[in-house]
């Protein structure tokens, strides 16, 4: 059920997250100078797992987080190369020491200074707090020191070239130490950042309201007065709202809806390559997938080309890699390692002791596209003797049941990518990552991940990351299926939409034509 929403409606598709460079966030589709004023309502199908960035684990959480929190580092929309954020510059004084120069005079929304003490507080909390889901992102950090009022120095356990762009993700979202200390375990209900919008109110599973930060450090920004995130689970409702002029933007639109969106009058549809990859997470903590042959059977039992045609309408790219084709960190030789081979799948099942077939339990997020993809996978697996019982829940419930409780065998869902490829590799493949159900350390993987993080030149990083992808394909730690484009549909009245390789558009700096 949905009532008419006041103001502008922005509709966000599943697994959508918002990110981008504040310093380079000037609208890319300007037909007139951005105008101040107006209200934006975001209809978002994915309720945030937390409004505390260190406790957040859903790819779709970013859309709700980014208006509240600025990051230490931003990145270029097209290349993902790092750019200034709350840190104006950075340098490695040696391979294991990163010095951040902070923007002077910036304050959190409660007036607390954004200084080196605040940076140390946030990074220490992300590493050590029991609620943190991003500690593995900062696994190479040995200590953080305050070396000046606006200078923080990060000492690493080993060289780690990925640390800079890691600070462009949740680890770099700065929360007010004053607010964290005041609210303690309830901080997520009272978030305070240094972003363009100030938290107003939140009703779980209903809405989040943020108001313009009148003291925001970027002069003249943001343009809008209010953004309201309205959470709902029906993608079709989003499309209907856009068609009825109750909605003005659909972010990360379902690929099945592209032709429908293109047919709408007064709507522009933008498609761009992204890091978004559909795949399956595997539970290694119990049979059958503690056996590598069973995992390989799963990998070759899925017909990616057919999945692309029936689920993505040919708009995606079948893949066996955790990185999309054409991405600088990808190795083209490893694109089709898990080629569809149902006979091989049956042989591998027999080798794993399941010649009579196999029964497994699977999970999917409560979204039209995600469920459709999981159901297609379910039918394909059935053809080789794998009977998957599929259950569907909201994102937070899926995460708890699979990653925390480890109560299911696989969870098929989109991976939204990370700004740095080593961060993606570590998040998906490290035995210490939240996303590795069963804490599985694939043979050689810890060493390969460490080498990839330590490599200093792009050429060395590509070679090291190729080894990581190869080891993933040998052990099937994470099962990639489709590299998916980012699709955005918008009314001509909306300005500032800037598609990026991350596949996550920051709504904070959108504006409206009168």
């Amino acid at each position: 059920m949905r009532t008419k929403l006041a103001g502008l409606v922005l509709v966000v598709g599943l697994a959508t997250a918002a990110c981008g460079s504040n310093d380079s966030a000037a609208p890319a589709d300007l037909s007139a100078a951005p105008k101040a004023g107006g209200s934006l309502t975001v209809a978002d199908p994915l309720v945030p797992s937390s409004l505390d960035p260190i406790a957040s684990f859903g790819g779709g959480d970013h859309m709700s987080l980014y208006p509240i929190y600025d990051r230490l580092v931003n990145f270029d929309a097209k290349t993902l190369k790092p750019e200034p954020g709350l840190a104006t510059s950075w340098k490695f004084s040696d391979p294991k020491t990163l010095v951040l120069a902070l923007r002077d005079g910036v304050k959190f929304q409660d007036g607390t200074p954004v200084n080196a003490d605040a940076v140390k507080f946030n990074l220490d909390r992300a590493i050590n707090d029991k609620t943190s889901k991003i500690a593995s992102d900062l696994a190479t950090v040995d200590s953080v020191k305050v070396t000046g009022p606006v200078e923080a120095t990060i000492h690493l356990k080993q060289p780690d070239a990925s640390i800079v762009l890691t600070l462009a993700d949740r680890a770099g979202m700065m929360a007010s130490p004053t607010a964290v200390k005041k609210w303690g375990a309830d901080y997520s209900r009272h978030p305070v950042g240094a972003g363009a919008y100030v938290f107003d109110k939140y009703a779980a599973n209903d809405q989040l309201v943020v108001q313009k930060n009148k003291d925001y450090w970027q002069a003249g920004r943001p343009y809008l007065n209010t953004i309201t995130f309205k959470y709902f689970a029906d993608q079709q409702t989003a499309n209907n709202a856009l068609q009825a002029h109750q909605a003005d933007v659909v972010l990360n639109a379902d690929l099945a809806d592209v032709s429908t969106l293109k047919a709408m009058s007064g709507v522009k549809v933008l498609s761009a390559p992204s890091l978004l990859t559909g795949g399956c997470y595997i539970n290694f903590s119990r049979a059958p997938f503690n056996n590598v042959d069973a995992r390989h059977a799963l990998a070759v039992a899925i017909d990616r080309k057919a999945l692309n045609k029936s689920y993505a309408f040919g708009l995606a790219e079948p893949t066996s890699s955790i990185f999309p084709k054409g991405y600088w960190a990808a190795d083209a030789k490893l694109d089709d390692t898990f080629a569809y081979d149902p006979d091989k799948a049956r042989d591998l099942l027999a080798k794993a002791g399941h010649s009579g077939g196999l029964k497994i339990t699977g999970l999917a997020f409560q979204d039209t596209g995600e469920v459709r993809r999981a159901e297609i996978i379910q039918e394909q697996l059935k053809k080789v003797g794998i009977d998957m019982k599929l259950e569907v829940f909201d994102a937070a419930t899926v995460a708890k049941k699979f990653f925390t409780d480890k109560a299911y065998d696989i969870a098929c869902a989109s991976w939204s990518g990370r700004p740095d490829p080593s961060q993606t590799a570590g998040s998906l493949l490290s035995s210490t990552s939240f996303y590795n159900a069963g804490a599985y350390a694939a043979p050689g993987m810890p060493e390969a991940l460490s080498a990839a993080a330590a490599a200093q030149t792009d050429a060395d990083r590509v070679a090291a990351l190729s080894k990581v992808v190869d080891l993933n394909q040998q052990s099937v730690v994470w099962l990639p299926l489709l590299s998916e484009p980012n699709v955005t549909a918008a009314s001509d009245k909306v300005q500032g939409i800037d598609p990026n390789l991350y596949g996550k558009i920051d709504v904070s700096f959108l504006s409206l034509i009168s």
Side-chain angles (χ1 to χ4, degrees), residues 204-411:
N205 300 310
D206 182 17
Q207 67 176 7
L208 164 69
V209 180
V210 294
Q211 302 287 347
K212 180 177 183 176
N213 181 1
K214 296 179 181 178
D215 298 318
Y216 188 53
W217 61 269
Q218 292 195 58
R221 291 185 172 184
Y223 308 114
L224 299 163
N225 294 327
T226 305
I227 298 178
T228 299
F229 292 84
K230 194 72 178 178
Y231 301 108
F232 75 110
D234 182 12
Q235 182 69 51
Q236 186 58 50
T237 304
N239 298 338
N240 292 343
L242 183 65
Q243 190 168 33
H245 305 292
Q246 295 174 325
D248 289 84
V249 181
V250 175
L251 296 178
N252 283 62
D254 195 320
L255 297 179
D257 297 329
V258 168
S259 59
T260 299
L261 292 167
K262 285 184 175 180
M264 292 183 183
S265 176
V267 171
K268 53 192 173 185
V269 179
L270 308 173
S271 180
S274 79
L275 299 181
L276 183 68
T277 304
C280 294
Y281 301 82
I282 301 172
N283 184 356
F284 308 97
S285 69
R286 65 183 193 182
F289 294 130
N290 56 355
N291 181 296
V292 68
D293 291 318
R295 299 198 300 271
H296 270 285
L298 182 71
V300 299
I302 298 174
D303 185 345
R304 289 161 177 75
K305 292 181 180 179
L307 183 63
N308 181 31
K309 183 178 180 180
S310 55
Y311 158 71
F313 295 81
L315 299 174
E317 183 78 33
T319 187
S320 298
S321 173
I322 62 174
F323 304 124
K325 186 180 293 185
Y327 182 47
W328 71 268
D331 184 343
K333 299 191 299 295
L334 302 174
D335 281 343
D336 198 31
T337 304
F338 297 135
Y340 177 55
D341 191 336
D343 291 333
K344 182 179 180 180
R346 295 183 189 96
D347 290 342
L348 286 165
L349 285 176
K351 184 179 178 182
H354 304 287
S355 56
L358 178 63
K359 293 183 181 294
I360 63 172
T361 56
L363 285 170
F365 291 143
Q366 193 172 17
D367 171 83
T368 305
E370 294 284 327
V371 172
R372 185 174 70 253
R373 179 174 54 201
E375 289 176 343
I376 295 169
I377 292 170
Q378 181 184 41
E379 289 302 312
Q380 290 187 354
L381 294 180
K382 186 180 296 184
K383 294 178 181 178
V384 301
I386 301 176
D387 183 7
M388 180 175 72
K389 179 184 178 182
L390 181 64
E391 296 187 20
V392 178
F393 300 97
D394 63 85
T397 302
V398 168
K400 181 180 185 302
K401 287 179 176 290
F402 189 78
F403 297 111
T404 303
D405 299 342
K406 300 175 180 59
Y408 290 75
D409 298 311
I410 66 171

